[in-house]
């Protein structure tokens, strides 16, 4: 193994793609994913502790913190296999408690995790196409239940437990809001969605039965026990400055008039665009977090709203709006706050709110500030400092300062301090930065952008450009060891410039291909490499995001230490000049600082103990401004001191006067209270004497009353004792009588029980015999079916061979006969399917008979308990039997009358069916016509889109020409400034005209100063021929643009006329369809009314004599008839569906027959053979 050991010290970055990526461990420590690890970060002490990811991990997908804040679950993909790792946070360092990597269900990745309230269970949601919801007892690695959350493969975004119930789970996704409850080993859905499905992005439990859900259209829904109780819509709230800018932009737009929505010229495309713009303006509620007073939710880019519960039932009102502040150091401050909130969480004491955004930023907000200043707009603050939001492409360090420079595809350059772990400077630009290099002094930085190479000063509070070089797309740049030169790569050419004179000293060529940095070795690809300054160790970064440390010279065998570092390929690595720290950056946008040790854990000593420099750069104007501000502030402080002293004196005088008044008042009150106290004491002594006299009188009265009561109670006790003896004798007699009655009742009960058991045993015997007979019939039918199947197969094989020999010569004639044979084979398939259905029905009957047997056994047990009650009911039923017989006689008469109506209604039903069929054919033809028209509309829409793309290309070309013009104007201004300087220097030189030597030296200086610069300007300038070619091409493009605009206008008029014609045709067709539907609905209702009467008659015949017949008054009631109407309508609808399905199958069969006509010549038997087979099973 390698002698060198690297330990992760600090990391700058956040992975916003991880679900639930921010959570509180306690009031001061948060946990978030960064690189390929999770970070525990202390908010006050600023230290970090790492929870490393699994080996060979391809990145984290989701986090979950247990409610007890003891466990952390991480979803990862390890070697293309999903894995869930559970860490115990209470141990130091954090230990792996369980690893779930073997699953008995298909899964590609886990997109969301959640712990139960008692932290014993874990629920995980897989991504599409499986979309399984898994429920574990994770400590025992036992799967409790699995359910498919969605059949349509829609994405699921979040899963959570009920905060008070281990068995209830909520999931949300695109068109998905489901509540599951774990019962009897399965997860069962307890709610049913009503209304249109929404794209539910997030949810949070407010109480044990209330869930707040947010959508992508800015709607909030409150569900209680699965039912919608409250909803509201959130609108995008722009800043006041943005509202004014939008109004000006609308006024300055082009004067092209668009038709209104009511005008006939408005096409469906324009309406669709308007709807799309309206949806884009709606805020997406991507995160919700609950707290004691209500909840917080995201309301579009950069906005969080706080809602509090109102006094009304189940209502919430918006209490506060919190915004992400604009960053003035970015290239476009108005767009810097347009960040989508990905996750939010409250601290345990609800004092702070923490959020993460899609640009990898962390913001914090103190909740107490909402109560102090409720009138002013609230803003978030950076948790520490702004981080990179895209892949980091450049990294470099300096010698004299503990600084690190990074550049990224987020168009920013940042300067970090690896000693204090802070961000010193950062600035964003218009172009992407590909490479960066720090001067050894730490005072200058060189950055390669897509359009140029810039040399910049590192000022005390800004990064300011002072020289640009025309090196486009510079991917690598660096300063020399002394800092007097710097090199930049353009393609396969290395340009070397002087740092002092900015001259191009040399150009190095000779590479056959481009400069490469990747070196494949072992099982991964090396994407970055760095050698220590001592030359004893080498560090490499891999495409998997890991870091390897090894000795130098490199060993033959695989002797290295490998560390989990980043979630993407390592792009750059650097080591400090004292070999103490290793710095790595990656495509995941994270900067990781490592401490380098030897094998015994000792840090490598610096060769020279030299302190870091404290100097900083500052411009003269900035210095003067700051001194002026300091003077103004000093004068202001002195003025404030004078004012405060004067106000303090006034307050002291006022307070002294008030103190005197209060002391006088209190002395007077004390004297009055003393007099009152003496009066009250005298009254108290008088009242005590009165109470003692009254108490002695009451004691004497009580003693006399007690003696009288004792004498009276003794006489009453003697009388009551005599009565008690008489009642005791009576109770003995009654007890003997009740015992006899109980004995008789037990005998009668035993007899009745024996009779009932015999009766039900006989019934059970009959059911078992019926079941055996049904099983025998099923076996016989199976045997018959197998025999017929064998005969059919043998006959078909024989006939196929005959047909192959016989009909190869007559192919044309056999094509016609094949059509008939296909129809016959369809009949055979239908018979085959019907036999299979009969077998399934028989097996279902057998299962139902078994279920009835079990039910009867349970009924026997229950009837034993109900014997006493049944005896009482027998007497009542004898009385009702006579009433039922009378009602049966009346019902028989009504059945005869209904049978007469049956014949008439059957005839009418047949006629109505004949009328329905042609109208359905007309509807089908009209639908086909509408589909053709929709296809034409789609073609017109595609043509319009192509024209719009052409227009956008031409506009982009115009913008490019404008940019070139501005560059030329800047060059012209530079030349004018150069000429002015030359004039002033020449004027100074003319002053020495009387002194030839000084005049000669002055002219030489002028020559050395201006002639070479003029040559450089001529080299850099654009040739006149190129300028003429540029103007000629610009005129050509303008002419093409004018012709294209004319074409667009003409074609739009043609499309509008076609759209109006198609819309009118559609309106007429829709009217005809609606009329046909109304007629069809009237006929169906008439048929249903007629059939309901017949259905009632049939039902009464089948039921026979029921247990309880309704009275004569209830028979013609509308409620009974309405029940039969609903049953008949369902039956008729089912018949029509089967008929439509049969017709569709027939049409498909005919189409397939036409398509496969040449191939079916030698596969089917003749018509006579098939007919013989069809009659055989019958």
């Amino acid at each position: 193994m390698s002698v060198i050991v690297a330990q992760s010290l600090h990391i700058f970055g956040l992975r916003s793609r991880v679900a639930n990526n921010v959570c509180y461990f306690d009031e001061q420590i948060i946990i978030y994913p960064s690189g390929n690890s999770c970070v525990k970060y202390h908010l006050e002490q600023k230290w970090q502790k790492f929870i490393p990811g699994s080996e060979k991990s391809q990145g984290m997908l989701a986090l979950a913190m247990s409610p007890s804040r003891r466990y952390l679950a991480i979803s990862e993909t390890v070697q293309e296999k999903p894995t869930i790792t559970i860490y115990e946070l209470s141990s130091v360092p954090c230990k792996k408690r369980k690893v779930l990597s073997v699953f008995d269900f298909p899964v590609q990745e886990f997109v969301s995790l959640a712990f139960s309230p008692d932290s014993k269970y874990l629920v995980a949601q897989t991504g599409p196409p499986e979309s399984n919801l898994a429920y574990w007892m994770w400590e025992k690695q036992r799967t409790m239940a699995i359910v498919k959350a969605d059949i349509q493969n829609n994405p699921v975004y979040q899963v959570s437990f009920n905060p008070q119930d281990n068995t209830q789970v909520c999931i949300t996704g695109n068109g998905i809001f489901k509540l599951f409850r774990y019962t009897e080993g399965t997860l069962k859905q307890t709610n049913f969605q009503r209304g249109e499905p929404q794209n539910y992005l997030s949810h949070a439990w407010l109480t044990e039965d209330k869930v707040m859900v947010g959508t992508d259209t800015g709607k909030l829904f409150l569900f209680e026990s699965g039912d919608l109780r409250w909803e509201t819509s959130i609108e995008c709230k722009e800043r006041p400055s943005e509202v004014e800018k939008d109004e000006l932009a609308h006024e300055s737009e082009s004067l092209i008039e668009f038709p209104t929505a009511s005008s006939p010229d408005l096409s469906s495309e324009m309406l669709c665009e308007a709807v799309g713009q309206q949806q884009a303006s709606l805020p997406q509620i991507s995160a919700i977090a609950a707290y004691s007073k209500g909840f917080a939710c995201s309301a579009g880019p950069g906005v969080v709203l706080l809602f509090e519960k109102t006094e009304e039932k189940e209502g919430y009102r918006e209490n506060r709006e919190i915004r992400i502040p604009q960053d003035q150091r970015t290239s476009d401050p108005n767009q810097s706050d347009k960040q989508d909130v990905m996750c939010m969480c409250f601290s345990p004491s609800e004092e702070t709110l923490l959020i993460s955004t899609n640009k990898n930023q962390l913001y914090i907000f103190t909740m107490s500030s909402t109560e102090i200043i409720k009138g002013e707009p609230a803003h978030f603050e950076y948790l520490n400092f702004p981080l990179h939001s895209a892949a980091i492409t450049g990294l470099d360090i300096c010698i004299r300062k503990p600084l690190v420079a990074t550049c990224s595809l987020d168009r920013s350059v940042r300067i970090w301090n690896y000693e204090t772990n802070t961000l010193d400077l950062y600035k964003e630009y218009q172009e992407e930065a590909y490479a960066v290099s720090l001067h050894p002094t730490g005072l200058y930085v060189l950055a390669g952008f897509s359009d140029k190479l810039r040399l910049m000063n590192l000022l005390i509070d800004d990064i300011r450009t002072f020289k640009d070089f025309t090196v486009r797309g510079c991917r690598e740049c660096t300063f020399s060891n002394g800092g007097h030169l710097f090199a930049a790569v353009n393609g396969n050419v290395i340009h070397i410039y002087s740092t002092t004179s900015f001259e191009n000293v040399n150009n190095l060529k000779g590479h056959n291909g481009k400069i490469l940095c990747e070196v494949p070795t072992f099982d991964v690809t090396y994407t970055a490499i760095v050698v220590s300054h001592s030359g004893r160790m080498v560090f490499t970064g891999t495409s998997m995001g890991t870091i390897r440390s090894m000795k130098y010279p490199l060993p033959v065998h695989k002797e290295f230490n490998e560390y989990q570092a980043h979630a993407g390929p390592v792009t750059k690595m650097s080591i400090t000049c004292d070999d103490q720290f290793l710095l790595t950056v990656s495509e995941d946008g994270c900067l990781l600082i490592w401490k380098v040790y030897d094998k015994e854990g000792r840090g490598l000593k610096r060769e020279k103990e030299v302190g870091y420099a404290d100097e900083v750069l500052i411009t003269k104007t900035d210095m003067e401004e700051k001194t002026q501000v300091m003077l103004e502030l000093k004068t202001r402080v002195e003025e404030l001191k004078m004012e405060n002293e004067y106000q303090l004196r006034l307050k002291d005088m006022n307070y002294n006067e008030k103190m005197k008044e209060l002391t006088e008042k209190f002395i007077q009150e004390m004297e009055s209270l003393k007099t009152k106290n003496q009066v009250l004491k005298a009254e108290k002594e008088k009242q005590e004497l009165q109470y003692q006299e009254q108490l002695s009188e009451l004691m004497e009265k009580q003693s006399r009353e007690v003696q009288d009561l004792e004498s009276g109670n003794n006489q009453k006790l003697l009388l009551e004792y005599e009565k008690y003896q008489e009642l005791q004798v009576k109770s003995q007699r009654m007890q003997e009588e009740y015992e006899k009655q109980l004995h008789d009742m037990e005998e009668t009960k035993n007899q009745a029980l024996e009779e009932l058991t015999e009766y039900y045993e006989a019934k059970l015997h009959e059911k078992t015999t019926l079941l055996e007979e049904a099983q025998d019939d099923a076996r016989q039918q199976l045997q018959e079916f197998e025999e017929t199947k064998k005969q059919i197969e043998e006959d078909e094989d024989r006939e196929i061979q005959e047909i192959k020999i016989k009909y190869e010569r007559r192919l044309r004639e056999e094509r016609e006969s094949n059509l008939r044979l296909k129809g016959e084979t369809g009949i055979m398939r239908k018979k085959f399917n019907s036999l299979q259905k009969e077998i399934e029905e028989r097996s279902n009957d057998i299962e139902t008979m078994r279920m009835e047997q079990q039910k009867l056994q349970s009924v026997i047990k229950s009837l034993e308990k109900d014997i006493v009650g049944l005896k009482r009911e027998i007497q009542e039923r004898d009385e009702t039997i006579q009433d039922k017989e009378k009602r049966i006689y009346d019902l028989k008469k009504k059945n005869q009358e209904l049978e007469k109506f049956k014949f008439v209604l059957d005839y009418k039903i047949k006629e109505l069916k004949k009328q329905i069929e042609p109208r359905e054919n007309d509807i089908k033809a009209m639908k086909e016509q509408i589909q053709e028209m929709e296809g034409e509309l789609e073609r017109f829409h595609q043509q319009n889109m192509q024209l719009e793309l052409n227009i956008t290309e031409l506009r982009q070309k115009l913008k490019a020409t404008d940019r070139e013009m501005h560059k030329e104007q800047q060059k012209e201004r530079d030349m004018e400034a150069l000429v002015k300087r030359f004039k002033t220097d020449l004027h100074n030189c003319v002053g020495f005209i009387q002194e030839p030597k000084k005049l000669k030296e002055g002219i030489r200086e002028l020559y050395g100063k201006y002639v070479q610069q003029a040559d450089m300007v001529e080299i850099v300038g654009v040739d006149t021929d190129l300028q003429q070619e540029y103007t000629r091409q610009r005129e050509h493009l303008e002419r093409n643009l004018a012709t294209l605009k004319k074409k667009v206008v003409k074609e739009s008029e043609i499309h509008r006329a076609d759209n109006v014609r198609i819309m009118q045709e559609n309106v007429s067709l829709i009217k005809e369809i609606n009329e046909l539907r109304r007629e069809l609905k009237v006929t169906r209702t008439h048929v249903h009314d007629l059939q309901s009467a017949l259905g009632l008659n049939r039902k009464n015949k089948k039921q026979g004599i029921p247990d309880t017949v309704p009275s004569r008054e209830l028979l013609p009631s509308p409620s009974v008839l309405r029940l039969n109407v609903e049953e008949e309508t369902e039956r008729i609808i089912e018949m029509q569906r089967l008929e439509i399905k049969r017709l569709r199958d027939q049409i498909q069969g005919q189409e397939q027959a036409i398509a496969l006509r040449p191939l079916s010549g030698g596969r089917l038997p003749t018509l006579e053979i098939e007919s013989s087979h069809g009659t055989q099973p019958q």
Side-chain angles (χ1 to χ4, degrees), residues 396-405 415-422 424 438 440-442 576-578 581 583 593 606 611-614:
D396 196 23
I397 59 170
C398 65
I399 298 171
R400 294 288 291 128
K401 291 185 180 183
L403 298 181
V404 183
I415 308 298
W416 312 83
N417 191 317
Y418 59 81
E419 265 199 345
T420 58
N421 296 326
T422 55
D424 286 358
L438 267 177
T441 60
T576 57
C577 59
D578 56 359
F581 299 100
L583 300 110
I593 301 170
R606 298 178 62 173
Y612 288 115
D614 294 331

Side-chain angles (χ1 to χ4, degrees), residues 315-332:
Y316 290 86
R317 62 179 176 82
E318 182 183 336
N319 181 39
R320 194 66 193 271
E321 178 184 344
I322 313 168
R323 287 184 175 272
I324 292 174
Q326 291 185 354
D327 193 348
Q328 299 300 324
R329 296 190 183 183
T330 59
S331 57
D332 189 0

Side-chain angles (χ1 to χ4, degrees), residues 779-919:
R779 289 195 199 97
Q780 289 176 2
Q781 286 182 359
L782 280 168
Q783 289 174 359
E784 290 176 0
F785 171 70
E786 288 176 355
E787 289 176 1
T788 54
K789 188 178 175 183
K790 285 179 183 178
Q791 291 175 2
I792 289 164
E793 288 175 352
E794 290 173 359
D795 293 337
E796 283 179 352
D797 293 337
R798 189 174 65 253
E799 288 300 326
I800 285 164
Q801 291 176 358
E802 291 176 1
I803 288 162
K804 280 182 181 177
I805 298 164
K806 186 177 178 181
Y807 290 101
E808 282 177 355
R809 300 170 188 173
R810 304 180 197 172
L811 259 168
R812 294 177 183 175
E813 295 175 1
E814 285 303 320
R815 285 176 182 171
E816 296 177 356
S817 63
N818 281 335
L819 296 170
R820 296 195 299 275
L821 291 169
K822 281 183 180 180
E824 294 297 326
T825 50
I827 294 164
M828 291 297 291
R829 283 174 188 165
K830 287 179 182 176
K831 288 180 181 178
F832 180 74
N833 292 328
S834 62
L835 286 169
Q836 280 185 339
K837 287 178 183 176
E838 286 179 5
I839 291 161
E840 289 174 357
E841 287 174 359
R842 292 299 174 117
S843 61
N844 291 329
D845 292 337
I846 290 162
E847 289 178 359
T848 51
M849 294 293 280
R850 285 176 184 167
M851 294 295 289
E852 285 180 5
Q853 184 179 356
Q854 292 176 0
K855 287 178 183 177
L856 288 169
Q857 288 176 355
S858 62
V859 167
I860 288 164
K861 293 177 182 177
S862 62
L863 286 170
E864 289 175 356
K865 299 176 183 177
D866 299 336
I867 286 166
V868 178
L870 288 169
K871 283 180 180 178
R872 294 173 185 169
E873 290 181 4
I874 287 164
Q875 294 176 357
E876 295 174 0
R877 292 210 176 181
D878 289 334
E879 294 173 358
T880 56
I881 284 166
Q882 296 176 358
D883 297 331
K884 287 179 181 178
E885 287 177 352
K886 291 178 183 178
R887 290 172 187 168
I888 289 161
Y889 179 72
D890 295 332
L891 288 168
K892 283 180 180 178
K893 285 183 179 180
K894 287 183 179 179
N895 284 335
Q896 290 175 359
E897 293 175 359
L898 289 167
E899 283 176 358
K900 292 176 184 178
F901 286 114
K902 180 185 172 185
F903 179 75
V904 178
L905 293 169
D906 286 336
Y907 179 72
K908 287 182 179 179
I909 288 162
K910 289 177 183 177
E911 288 181 350
L912 290 167
K913 283 183 179 178
K914 289 176 183 177
Q915 292 175 4
I916 288 164
E917 288 177 358
R919 290 182 180 179

Side-chain angles (χ1 to χ4, degrees), residues 738-753:
Y738 283 129
E739 284 177 355
K740 288 178 183 179
Q741 288 178 3
L742 281 168
H743 184 69
D744 297 335
M745 290 290 284
E746 283 180 357
E747 289 178 354
T748 55
K749 177 191 169 185
N750 292 327
Q751 288 177 2
L753 199 145

Side-chain angles (χ1 to χ4, degrees), residues 1023-1038:
D1023 196 28
T1024 56
D1025 294 333
L1026 292 173
Q1027 187 68 28
Q1028 290 174 2
E1029 181 67 20
Y1030 166 75
T1031 54
R1032 188 178 62 78
Q1033 288 183 1
R1034 182 177 174 183
E1035 290 172 359
H1036 177 66
L1037 288 171
E1038 286 175 352

